[in-house]
Amino acid sequence: MSRGRSDTEGSTSSNRREYSLASILHNVDAAERLVRMFCERAGYTTQQCEEIGLAVRETVANAVLHGNESDPSKRVILTTEVKECGVEVSVRDQGRGFDPNSVPDPLDPQNLLKESGRGMLMIRTLMDEVSIECTKQGMEIRMIKYLTNLSGGGAKHEHEIK
Amino acid sequence: MSMKSSSRQVNGITIIDISGRIVLGEPTSALRDLFHNLIQSGQKKALLNLSDVNYIDSSGLGALVSGYTSFAGQQGELKLINLSSRVHDLLRLTKLLTVFEVFNDETTALQSFK
């Protein structure tokens, strides 16, 4: 377990890590760093790690800003786990959740000049599988990026690209 | 790598050279301030050079859109040059390529201003 400037707590096992992050903006950067390190060790390419890192940024930013409404007493639970097809990242907040279908389509011409609303589009594009679950305890987004490059060492699982 | 920026003037047009990551937090705040200050000082034509930016998140895209609408609101123009392939891909994905005028070289971009 560690505690640093970004107020994170973590637990580890051989192929799974869980972190409890305070709902502060700095932890968006921290989450990206943690997941990228995990994915580099799992064997993803640099570009894949960047894509996963960007999806994690968007997800954790949503959890901090919208889910937990920047309430520092609420936590964001970040989990990374090696699965058969690749790494699964889940981000769970303690907010009231939202209906993903209620977010205006950022590609609609009348929304192109809006300053926000592109995060979910980016997450769905950058990751291979995305699922959203809303419970009374908060909202959880699970994302998987298939591990298609097998030359980097670490987790090596064959999987067909979707 | 944090974001850095510097500005220069060519023929009455402000060229803003950006390097690093345009992401949520200090970088996007700095970029919004930069646009605001340019407009406040009467600069209405700006070119954002993104050649050294290869990482941008949705907040960064929001800052670019904010700059675009702020300049347009003052009858000005904000255009982009030298997009990396990743930034280009993100602008294409989000259809912001249909919003911004984008150029591959500075000379052509400068000539495009009326």
Side-chain angles (χ1 to χ4, degrees):
Chain A
M1 181 179 291
S2 65
R3 182 183 287 270
R5 178 183 162 213
S6 55
D7 190 8
T8 65
E9 298 171 9
S11 63
T12 64
S13 68
S14 58
N15 64 354
R16 184 179 190 277
R17 297 201 173 185
E18 181 173 303
Y19 305 92
S20 172
L21 312 173
S23 297
I24 55 176
L25 274 189
H26 181 76
N27 276 334
V28 175
D29 294 326
E32 180 194 357
R33 263 195 318 275
L34 291 167
V35 173
R36 283 181 65 155
M37 279 194 300
F38 187 90
C39 290
E40 281 165 13
R41 280 196 293 271
Y44 287 92
T45 65
T46 301
Q47 181 173 339
Q48 288 171 326
C49 288
E50 284 191 3
E51 291 170 355
I52 296 167
L54 185 49
V56 168
R57 285 192 70 84
E58 300 297 335
T59 312
V60 174
N62 280 342
V64 169
L65 295 173
H66 305 303
N68 291 347
E69 298 174 307
S70 299
D71 179 345
S73 70
K74 292 183 176 176
R75 310 295 292 189
V76 175
I77 308 301
L78 170 70
T79 308
T80 53
E81 185 169 7
V82 177
K83 301 276 191 176
E84 188 177 346
C85 57
V87 166
E88 179 184 82
V89 181
S90 78
V91 176
R92 189 171 78 244
D93 63 38
Q94 297 178 310
R96 282 170 289 184
F98 73 103
D99 177 4
N101 296 320
S102 70
V103 179
D105 178 5
L107 301 181
D108 188 313
Q110 67 182 3
N111 295 328
L112 288 181
L113 292 182
K114 290 190 173 171
E115 294 180 24
S116 59
R118 299 178 178 86
M120 282 307 302
L121 169 68
M122 290 168 65
I123 292 165
R124 291 187 192 280
T125 304
L126 293 165
M127 303 299 281
D128 293 308
E129 293 181 20
V130 179
S131 63
I132 301 173
E133 185 179 1
C134 280
T135 68
K136 288 180 180 174
Q137 287 75 41
M139 191 171 86
E140 181 172 29
I141 295 187
R142 289 177 177 270
M143 313 176 282
I144 296 178
K145 182 85 165 175
Y146 298 151
L147 185 51
T148 55
N149 181 312
L150 305 177
S151 61
K156 298 183 188 304
H157 303 286
E158 301 263 5
H159 198 279
E160 187 179 348
I161 302 174
K162 73 173 181 178
Chain B
M1 181 184 180
S2 59
M3 191 193 81
K4 292 180 181 172
S5 68
S6 60
S7 300
R8 52 199 164 96
Q9 292 283 326
V10 178
N11 300 332
I13 297 163
T14 305
I15 302 176
I16 309 161
D17 300 301
I18 304 281
S19 62
R21 292 154 48 100
I22 308 178
V23 293
L24 178 69
E26 200 173 308
T28 48
S29 297
L31 192 56
R32 286 169 187 270
D33 288 347
L34 201 154
F35 291 145
H36 177 76
N37 291 337
L38 282 175
I39 291 167
Q40 288 296 106
S41 64
Q43 303 292 324
K44 292 187 175 179
K45 298 175 181 176
L47 204 49
L48 199 60
N49 178 11
L50 298 174
S51 61
D52 291 326
V53 173
N54 59 13
Y55 202 89
I56 185 165
D57 65 9
S58 69
S59 179
L61 292 177
L64 295 186
V65 170
S66 167
Y68 177 88
T69 55
S70 296
F71 276 92
Q74 299 297 317
Q75 287 73 51
E77 291 179 285
L78 174 67
K79 303 183 181 187
L80 309 179
I81 51 171
N82 299 329
L83 305 187
S84 68
S85 61
R86 277 177 209 158
V87 171
H88 186 276
D89 286 347
L90 271 183
L91 264 70
R92 185 175 53 199
L93 166 70
T94 54
K95 290 192 176 178
L96 289 178
L97 283 181
T98 66
V99 171
F100 285 97
E101 276 192 75
V102 178
F103 299 89
N104 292 325
D105 72 277
E106 195 172 297
T107 304
T108 309
L110 288 170
Q111 289 170 346
S112 74
F113 284 92
K114 303 177 187 86

